[in-house]
Amino acid sequence: ARREFETASAIQAILDDVGVPNSVLPGNHDSKRGVDRSLFNDYFPVSRYAGQPWFGGSIAPDDNSANYSTFERAGARVLMLSLPYAYGETEIAWASDVVTSHPDYNVVISTHEYVTAKTVEVAAGHSVNSRWVSHGGQLWDEVIAPNRNVVLVLAGHFHGVGQIVNVDAGGISGHTVVEMLADYQEFRTHTGERGTGFQRLLQIDLASGTVAVDTFSARLDAAASFPYDYRQFVPDNGMPSTLSNERPWAIVEAGLQNRYTAEDDEFTAQVSFQYEKSVQTGGVFAAVP
């Protein structure tokens, strides 16, 4: 685990060293399923970010598992709020205080487990019954829905992708919240490797209220993930002919799950951002009587 944390820390340091605002949060594999976050705090402590002008704060002086950062671009103030796997009432109360104390910021919440994956049969939803640590409903009720300044929610954990568009969230007119899941850890290369390296780029157009989402893998030089969504979690009964994770070539041969299409990898979403708008004079005209 320490070797993996050292690798992750070195990669994240690329952003630190050039002053790009960034945030890290621990998932279930980084915290013994939410029981112990000490190793995460060894490599990503509060002290690592405390000197950065964009770092807002953490849930405790010795715990950076829940944290927030702020930045401003083109007149828009943005607050990135990060919550760990297995967040509970303490983290939700802290998050509520951060969001309500920054009413003029556009809040983007990132957390490990919140949105479930879309499948052929079922639409994406909130995670409320995955073990005893799923508090997606409480996070929605107490932090996301009541606060007009929350505009985006980003999540992982569940293998796949999904999107929920909430219009007039919390009964607030014009309060649109777009919630997205993107988790490619079980997607496979065409040779069976669990190493596709897919990630998402979100580009924001303030004036039109548009979030443009693109999916890409630098490793595969690919701009779509759906052609790599092979079957997952196939049990092994010991027979050499059985499709299982122990024989990845057999998984590839069996074909894709066909859960997604190109529209799940490249799309736009509409939200309403707060930002300072300026008026510029283009010309002065006088009418002669």
Side-chain angles (χ1 to χ4, degrees), residues 21-267:
N22 66 90
S23 178
V24 183
L25 61 90
N28 52 314
H29 291 282
D30 311 312
S31 60
K32 296 184 179 179
R33 297 195 177 188
V35 175
D36 185 355
R37 298 166 183 159
S38 58
L39 198 56
F40 170 82
N41 280 306
D42 282 351
Y43 287 89
F44 298 98
V46 177
S47 59
R48 176 170 179 159
Y49 303 97
Q52 299 290 352
W54 42 263
F55 182 68
S58 60
I59 194 167
D62 59 348
D63 185 7
N64 197 41
S65 62
N67 60 79
Y68 76 95
S69 302
T70 64
F71 63 89
E72 184 173 343
R73 292 292 186 277
R77 295 177 176 180
V78 180
L79 187 150
M80 299 290 299
L81 178 68
S82 297
L83 295 175
Y85 175 78
Y87 59 82
E89 292 185 357
T90 300
E91 288 83 2
I92 289 174
W94 174 82
S96 179
D97 288 341
V98 171
V99 172
T100 56
S101 62
H102 293 81
D104 55 345
Y105 280 77
N106 299 283
V107 177
V108 180
I109 297 177
S110 297
T111 187
H112 186 73
E113 178 195 356
Y114 178 68
V115 177
T116 60
K118 182 182 83 168
T119 67
V120 176
E121 301 83 11
V122 182
H126 291 157
S127 176
V128 296
N129 57 6
S130 176
R131 304 189 181 97
W132 60 93
V133 297
S134 299
H135 298 134
Q138 189 176 356
L139 182 63
W140 169 263
D141 290 338
E142 299 184 21
V143 180
I144 300 169
N147 293 296
R148 172 63 183 80
N149 54 333
V150 179
V151 292
L152 290 171
V153 184
L154 310 176
H157 186 68
F158 297 105
H159 307 167
V161 300
Q163 180 187 168
I164 306 171
V165 179
N166 308 277
V167 179
D168 296 338
I172 303 172
S173 179
H175 182 205
T176 297
V177 183
V178 177
E179 303 175 307
M180 303 181 193
L181 162 73
D183 188 315
Y184 309 102
Q185 62 178 298
E186 282 287 345
F187 285 36
R188 293 181 180 271
T189 68
H190 298 321
T191 54
E193 299 172 284
R194 267 183 26 174
T196 58
F198 279 104
Q199 56 187 304
R200 277 184 170 180
L201 173 67
L202 275 62
Q203 300 179 79
I204 293 174
D205 186 311
L206 295 173
S208 65
T210 301
V211 180
V213 179
D214 293 290
T215 304
F216 67 96
S217 167
R219 182 173 187 262
L220 302 178
D221 191 25
S225 70
F226 72 92
Y228 300 86
D229 184 25
Y230 294 102
R231 290 178 61 188
Q232 304 171 6
F233 304 117
V234 182
D236 191 346
N237 61 7
M239 300 295 292
S241 60
T242 302
L243 176 72
S244 81
N245 287 337
E246 297 304 315
R247 283 173 287 281
W249 59 88
I251 290 179
V252 171
E253 290 173 359
L256 300 171
Q257 298 189 71
N258 296 313
R259 293 187 294 177
Y260 311 118
T261 68
E263 294 180 351
D264 296 296
D265 284 325
E266 184 176 348
F267 58 91

